PDB file of all heavy atoms in Angstrom:
ATOM      1  N   PHE A  24     -58.686 154.275 143.212  1.00  0.00           N
ATOM      2  CA  PHE A  24     -57.555 153.966 142.349  1.00  0.00           C
ATOM      3  C   PHE A  24     -56.507 155.065 142.487  1.00  0.00           C
ATOM      4  O   PHE A  24     -56.798 156.236 142.236  1.00  0.00           O
ATOM      5  CB  PHE A  24     -58.016 153.822 140.902  1.00  0.00           C
ATOM      6  CG  PHE A  24     -57.019 153.154 140.012  1.00  0.00           C
ATOM      7  CD1 PHE A  24     -56.917 151.771 139.993  1.00  0.00           C
ATOM      8  CD2 PHE A  24     -56.174 153.884 139.204  1.00  0.00           C
ATOM      9  CE1 PHE A  24     -56.006 151.127 139.161  1.00  0.00           C
ATOM     10  CE2 PHE A  24     -55.259 153.255 138.377  1.00  0.00           C
ATOM     11  CZ  PHE A  24     -55.175 151.874 138.358  1.00  0.00           C
ATOM     12  N   VAL A  25     -55.289 154.665 142.851  1.00  0.00           N
ATOM     13  CA  VAL A  25     -54.209 155.626 143.113  1.00  0.00           C
ATOM     14  C   VAL A  25     -53.230 155.611 141.939  1.00  0.00           C
ATOM     15  O   VAL A  25     -52.738 154.566 141.547  1.00  0.00           O
ATOM     16  CB  VAL A  25     -53.478 155.279 144.412  1.00  0.00           C
ATOM     17  CG1 VAL A  25     -52.435 156.323 144.731  1.00  0.00           C
ATOM     18  CG2 VAL A  25     -54.464 155.141 145.566  1.00  0.00           C
ATOM     19  N   VAL A  26     -52.981 156.802 141.400  1.00  0.00           N
ATOM     20  CA  VAL A  26     -51.998 156.969 140.324  1.00  0.00           C
ATOM     21  C   VAL A  26     -50.809 157.705 140.942  1.00  0.00           C
ATOM     22  O   VAL A  26     -50.922 158.882 141.292  1.00  0.00           O
ATOM     23  CB  VAL A  26     -52.587 157.788 139.149  1.00  0.00           C
ATOM     24  CG1 VAL A  26     -51.534 158.013 138.067  1.00  0.00           C
ATOM     25  CG2 VAL A  26     -53.838 157.133 138.603  1.00  0.00           C
ATOM     26  N   PRO A  27     -49.668 157.022 141.106  1.00  0.00           N
ATOM     27  CA  PRO A  27     -48.530 157.673 141.731  1.00  0.00           C
ATOM     28  C   PRO A  27     -47.911 158.729 140.823  1.00  0.00           C
ATOM     29  O   PRO A  27     -48.142 158.709 139.608  1.00  0.00           O
ATOM     30  CB  PRO A  27     -47.546 156.517 141.953  1.00  0.00           C
ATOM     31  CG  PRO A  27     -47.890 155.528 140.916  1.00  0.00           C
ATOM     32  CD  PRO A  27     -49.380 155.652 140.704  1.00  0.00           C
ATOM     33  N   PRO A  28     -47.148 159.664 141.385  1.00  0.00           N
ATOM     34  CA  PRO A  28     -46.496 160.662 140.551  1.00  0.00           C
ATOM     35  C   PRO A  28     -45.522 159.995 139.561  1.00  0.00           C
ATOM     36  O   PRO A  28     -44.602 159.299 139.980  1.00  0.00           O
ATOM     37  CB  PRO A  28     -45.733 161.526 141.539  1.00  0.00           C
ATOM     38  CG  PRO A  28     -46.363 161.268 142.868  1.00  0.00           C
ATOM     39  CD  PRO A  28     -46.903 159.872 142.803  1.00  0.00           C
ATOM     40  N   ILE A  29     -45.782 160.176 138.280  1.00  0.00           N
ATOM     41  CA  ILE A  29     -44.889 159.678 137.219  1.00  0.00           C
ATOM     42  C   ILE A  29     -44.816 160.759 136.155  1.00  0.00           C
ATOM     43  O   ILE A  29     -45.463 161.802 136.275  1.00  0.00           O
ATOM     44  CB  ILE A  29     -45.387 158.334 136.625  1.00  0.00           C
ATOM     45  CG1 ILE A  29     -46.825 158.443 136.122  1.00  0.00           C
ATOM     46  CG2 ILE A  29     -45.247 157.211 137.622  1.00  0.00           C
ATOM     47  CD1 ILE A  29     -47.302 157.219 135.395  1.00  0.00           C
ATOM     48  N   GLY A  30     -44.097 160.514 135.092  1.00  0.00           N
ATOM     49  CA  GLY A  30     -43.914 161.520 134.050  1.00  0.00           C
ATOM     50  C   GLY A  30     -45.196 162.119 133.500  1.00  0.00           C
ATOM     51  O   GLY A  30     -45.323 163.327 133.366  1.00  0.00           O
ATOM     52  N   VAL A  32     -48.211 162.158 134.852  1.00  0.00           N
ATOM     53  CA  VAL A  32     -48.993 162.805 135.905  1.00  0.00           C
ATOM     54  C   VAL A  32     -48.029 163.119 137.059  1.00  0.00           C
ATOM     55  O   VAL A  32     -47.977 162.394 138.044  1.00  0.00           O
ATOM     56  CB  VAL A  32     -50.120 161.883 136.393  1.00  0.00           C
ATOM     57  CG1 VAL A  32     -51.068 162.629 137.336  1.00  0.00           C
ATOM     58  CG2 VAL A  32     -50.923 161.302 135.222  1.00  0.00           C
ATOM     59  N   PRO A  33     -47.254 164.214 136.955  1.00  0.00           N
ATOM     60  CA  PRO A  33     -46.208 164.472 137.929  1.00  0.00           C
ATOM     61  C   PRO A  33     -46.691 164.709 139.355  1.00  0.00           C
ATOM     62  O   PRO A  33     -45.956 164.477 140.309  1.00  0.00           O
ATOM     63  CB  PRO A  33     -45.492 165.707 137.379  1.00  0.00           C
ATOM     64  CG  PRO A  33     -46.396 166.309 136.382  1.00  0.00           C
ATOM     65  CD  PRO A  33     -47.303 165.216 135.886  1.00  0.00           C
ATOM     66  N   GLU A  34     -47.926 165.142 139.528  1.00  0.00           N
ATOM     67  CA  GLU A  34     -48.431 165.363 140.879  1.00  0.00           C
ATOM     68  C   GLU A  34     -49.191 164.169 141.424  1.00  0.00           C
ATOM     69  O   GLU A  34     -49.545 164.126 142.596  1.00  0.00           O
ATOM     70  CB  GLU A  34     -49.312 166.626 140.932  1.00  0.00           C
ATOM     71  CG  GLU A  34     -50.641 166.521 140.217  1.00  0.00           C
ATOM     72  CD  GLU A  34     -50.572 166.698 138.711  1.00  0.00           C
ATOM     73  OE1 GLU A  34     -49.523 167.086 138.172  1.00  0.00           O
ATOM     74  OE2 GLU A  34     -51.596 166.430 138.047  1.00  0.00           O
ATOM     75  N   GLY A  35     -49.448 163.171 140.602  1.00  0.00           N
ATOM     76  CA  GLY A  35     -50.187 161.984 141.034  1.00  0.00           C
ATOM     77  C   GLY A  35     -51.664 162.282 141.199  1.00  0.00           C
ATOM     78  O   GLY A  35     -52.087 163.445 141.180  1.00  0.00           O
ATOM     79  N   ARG A  36     -52.465 161.272 141.346  1.00  0.00           N
ATOM     80  CA  ARG A  36     -53.917 161.412 141.518  1.00  0.00           C
ATOM     81  C   ARG A  36     -54.468 160.229 142.298  1.00  0.00           C
ATOM     82  O   ARG A  36     -53.927 159.136 142.267  1.00  0.00           O
ATOM     83  CB  ARG A  36     -54.633 161.380 140.174  1.00  0.00           C
ATOM     84  CG  ARG A  36     -54.681 162.621 139.422  1.00  0.00           C
ATOM     85  CD  ARG A  36     -55.773 163.559 139.925  1.00  0.00           C
ATOM     86  NE  ARG A  36     -55.673 164.745 139.127  1.00  0.00           N
ATOM     87  CZ  ARG A  36     -55.472 165.942 139.611  1.00  0.00           C
ATOM     88  NH1 ARG A  36     -55.406 166.146 140.879  1.00  0.00           N
ATOM     89  NH2 ARG A  36     -55.369 166.961 138.824  1.00  0.00           N
ATOM     90  N   THR A  37     -55.580 160.478 142.938  1.00  0.00           N
ATOM     91  CA  THR A  37     -56.398 159.417 143.521  1.00  0.00           C
ATOM     92  C   THR A  37     -57.783 159.605 142.928  1.00  0.00           C
ATOM     93  O   THR A  37     -58.339 160.712 142.989  1.00  0.00           O
ATOM     94  CB  THR A  37     -56.445 159.539 145.047  1.00  0.00           C
ATOM     95  OG1 THR A  37     -55.134 159.460 145.581  1.00  0.00           O
ATOM     96  CG2 THR A  37     -57.311 158.440 145.663  1.00  0.00           C
ATOM     97  N   SER A  51     -54.074 150.258 142.596  1.00  0.00           N
ATOM     98  CA  SER A  51     -53.219 151.130 141.771  1.00  0.00           C
ATOM     99  C   SER A  51     -52.707 150.306 140.601  1.00  0.00           C
ATOM    100  O   SER A  51     -52.779 149.071 140.615  1.00  0.00           O
ATOM    101  CB  SER A  51     -52.047 151.681 142.597  1.00  0.00           C
ATOM    102  OG  SER A  51     -51.176 150.624 142.971  1.00  0.00           O
ATOM    103  N   ALA A  52     -52.186 150.988 139.591  1.00  0.00           N
ATOM    104  CA  ALA A  52     -51.638 150.291 138.434  1.00  0.00           C
ATOM    105  C   ALA A  52     -50.462 149.408 138.862  1.00  0.00           C
ATOM    106  O   ALA A  52     -50.326 148.284 138.385  1.00  0.00           O
ATOM    107  CB  ALA A  52     -51.198 151.288 137.367  1.00  0.00           C
ATOM    108  N   ASP A  53     -49.627 149.913 139.785  1.00  0.00           N
ATOM    109  CA  ASP A  53     -48.498 149.125 140.246  1.00  0.00           C
ATOM    110  C   ASP A  53     -48.950 147.838 140.939  1.00  0.00           C
ATOM    111  O   ASP A  53     -48.405 146.771 140.711  1.00  0.00           O
ATOM    112  CB  ASP A  53     -47.627 149.937 141.200  1.00  0.00           C
ATOM    113  CG  ASP A  53     -46.924 151.102 140.505  1.00  0.00           C
ATOM    114  OD1 ASP A  53     -46.990 151.181 139.260  1.00  0.00           O
ATOM    115  OD2 ASP A  53     -46.310 151.914 141.197  1.00  0.00           O
ATOM    116  N   ARG A  68     -47.469 149.535 133.614  1.00  0.00           N
ATOM    117  CA  ARG A  68     -48.084 150.646 134.342  1.00  0.00           C
ATOM    118  C   ARG A  68     -48.915 151.521 133.402  1.00  0.00           C
ATOM    119  O   ARG A  68     -50.056 151.837 133.693  1.00  0.00           O
ATOM    120  CB  ARG A  68     -46.986 151.469 135.017  1.00  0.00           C
ATOM    121  CG  ARG A  68     -47.455 152.503 135.971  1.00  0.00           C
ATOM    122  CD  ARG A  68     -46.270 153.277 136.484  1.00  0.00           C
ATOM    123  NE  ARG A  68     -45.666 152.616 137.604  1.00  0.00           N
ATOM    124  CZ  ARG A  68     -44.468 152.940 138.105  1.00  0.00           C
ATOM    125  NH1 ARG A  68     -43.757 153.902 137.560  1.00  0.00           N
ATOM    126  NH2 ARG A  68     -43.992 152.314 139.149  1.00  0.00           N
ATOM    127  N   MET A  72     -53.061 151.733 133.411  1.00  0.00           N
ATOM    128  CA  MET A  72     -53.758 153.006 133.666  1.00  0.00           C
ATOM    129  C   MET A  72     -54.669 153.361 132.505  1.00  0.00           C
ATOM    130  O   MET A  72     -55.811 153.794 132.704  1.00  0.00           O
ATOM    131  CB  MET A  72     -52.760 154.124 133.944  1.00  0.00           C
ATOM    132  CG  MET A  72     -52.221 154.098 135.341  1.00  0.00           C
ATOM    133  SD  MET A  72     -51.308 155.556 135.794  1.00  0.00           S
ATOM    134  CE  MET A  72     -49.761 155.258 134.983  1.00  0.00           C
ATOM    135  N   TYR A  87     -53.155 163.079 145.159  1.00  0.00           N
ATOM    136  CA  TYR A  87     -52.439 161.828 145.407  1.00  0.00           C
ATOM    137  C   TYR A  87     -52.336 161.564 146.920  1.00  0.00           C
ATOM    138  O   TYR A  87     -52.094 162.475 147.706  1.00  0.00           O
ATOM    139  CB  TYR A  87     -51.049 161.917 144.802  1.00  0.00           C
ATOM    140  CG  TYR A  87     -50.129 160.781 145.162  1.00  0.00           C
ATOM    141  CD1 TYR A  87     -50.342 159.510 144.649  1.00  0.00           C
ATOM    142  CD2 TYR A  87     -49.045 160.969 146.024  1.00  0.00           C
ATOM    143  CE1 TYR A  87     -49.509 158.463 144.965  1.00  0.00           C
ATOM    144  CE2 TYR A  87     -48.205 159.917 146.336  1.00  0.00           C
ATOM    145  CZ  TYR A  87     -48.432 158.676 145.803  1.00  0.00           C
ATOM    146  OH  TYR A  87     -47.604 157.635 146.144  1.00  0.00           O
ATOM    147  N   TYR A  92     -51.708 154.589 148.361  1.00  0.00           N
ATOM    148  CA  TYR A  92     -50.842 153.889 147.425  1.00  0.00           C
ATOM    149  C   TYR A  92     -50.149 152.708 148.132  1.00  0.00           C
ATOM    150  O   TYR A  92     -50.122 151.592 147.616  1.00  0.00           O
ATOM    151  CB  TYR A  92     -49.800 154.830 146.828  1.00  0.00           C
ATOM    152  CG  TYR A  92     -48.768 154.136 145.983  1.00  0.00           C
ATOM    153  CD1 TYR A  92     -49.073 153.711 144.695  1.00  0.00           C
ATOM    154  CD2 TYR A  92     -47.494 153.880 146.475  1.00  0.00           C
ATOM    155  CE1 TYR A  92     -48.137 153.057 143.920  1.00  0.00           C
ATOM    156  CE2 TYR A  92     -46.551 153.215 145.701  1.00  0.00           C
ATOM    157  CZ  TYR A  92     -46.874 152.805 144.434  1.00  0.00           C
ATOM    158  OH  TYR A  92     -45.941 152.140 143.677  1.00  0.00           O
ATOM    159  N   TYR A 101     -42.467 151.276 144.345  1.00  0.00           N
ATOM    160  CA  TYR A 101     -41.824 150.936 143.082  1.00  0.00           C
ATOM    161  C   TYR A 101     -41.173 152.179 142.502  1.00  0.00           C
ATOM    162  O   TYR A 101     -41.617 153.294 142.732  1.00  0.00           O
ATOM    163  CB  TYR A 101     -42.835 150.334 142.094  1.00  0.00           C
ATOM    164  CG  TYR A 101     -43.425 149.048 142.594  1.00  0.00           C
ATOM    165  CD1 TYR A 101     -44.644 149.028 143.251  1.00  0.00           C
ATOM    166  CD2 TYR A 101     -42.769 147.848 142.441  1.00  0.00           C
ATOM    167  CE1 TYR A 101     -45.186 147.832 143.729  1.00  0.00           C
ATOM    168  CE2 TYR A 101     -43.274 146.652 142.919  1.00  0.00           C
ATOM    169  CZ  TYR A 101     -44.487 146.663 143.556  1.00  0.00           C
ATOM    170  OH  TYR A 101     -45.024 145.494 144.034  1.00  0.00           O
ATOM    171  N   ARG A 103     -40.237 155.155 140.173  1.00  0.00           N
ATOM    172  CA  ARG A 103     -41.100 156.019 139.365  1.00  0.00           C
ATOM    173  C   ARG A 103     -40.548 156.035 137.998  1.00  0.00           C
ATOM    174  O   ARG A 103     -40.669 156.467 137.066  1.00  0.00           O
ATOM    175  CB  ARG A 103     -41.177 157.435 139.944  1.00  0.00           C
ATOM    176  CG  ARG A 103     -41.544 157.439 141.419  1.00  0.00           C
ATOM    177  CD  ARG A 103     -43.037 157.454 141.614  1.00  0.00           C
ATOM    178  NE  ARG A 103     -43.329 157.643 143.016  1.00  0.00           N
ATOM    179  CZ  ARG A 103     -44.096 156.881 143.712  1.00  0.00           C
ATOM    180  NH1 ARG A 103     -44.666 155.851 143.180  1.00  0.00           N
ATOM    181  NH2 ARG A 103     -44.343 157.098 144.966  1.00  0.00           N
TER     182      ARG A 103
END
Side-chain angles (χ1 to χ4, degrees):
F24 196 82
V25 184
V26 178
I29 55 173
V32 188
E34 70 280 351
R36 278 280 178 238
T37 302
S51 66
D53 293 352
R68 189 183 275 167
M72 281 191 282
Y87 172 71
Y92 173 77
Y101 297 96
R103 308 272 188 233

